[in-house]
Amino acid sequence: MNKQEVVEVVNGFLIEEFEIDEEVLQPDAILREALDLDSLDYVDLVVVIEDNFGFKVTGEDFVDIKTLDDFYNFICSKAQPV
């Protein structure tokens, strides 16, 4: 799965599942500010990532993720080839 495919899938579920406005989803957006999710939403986000990309995510994985682009890159680095 290439980065563009990851971006499309991630943006799709952020818009659908978490009702994030599409215009907010810019690569340089600060993840926590752009998504404005509470702690329970982050649990749901982890489940959606695991369901869509087939790998486990821990809270520690989010430590170095600052921007939405970091988030995409993290998923690209962990996602199983399709």
Side-chain angles (χ1 to χ4, degrees):
M1 181 172 271
N2 68 38
K3 186 171 180 178
Q4 184 58 39
E5 292 169 327
V6 167
V7 170
E8 290 172 11
V9 171
V10 169
N11 287 356
F13 68 65
L14 289 174
I15 292 166
E16 291 295 318
E17 302 279 332
F18 298 96
E19 299 177 353
I20 305 297
D21 290 328
E22 187 172 1
E23 62 270 4
V24 172
L25 300 176
Q26 301 300 317
D28 60 345
I30 304 300
L31 184 70
R32 292 186 192 277
E33 293 173 12
L35 301 186
D36 192 31
L37 303 178
D38 63 26
S39 58
L40 290 176
D41 288 330
Y42 274 101
V43 171
D44 291 340
L45 180 59
V46 166
V47 171
V48 172
I49 293 168
E50 291 174 356
D51 288 347
N52 279 278
F53 296 103
F55 64 90
K56 296 286 183 193
V57 181
T58 67
E60 293 173 5
D61 292 328
F62 283 94
V63 171
D64 293 328
I65 298 173
K66 305 297 182 216
T67 66
L68 205 49
D69 197 51
D70 293 341
F71 186 55
Y72 300 142
N73 289 332
F74 164 74
I75 292 173
C76 285
S77 73
K78 299 285 188 176
Q80 310 227 347
V82 173

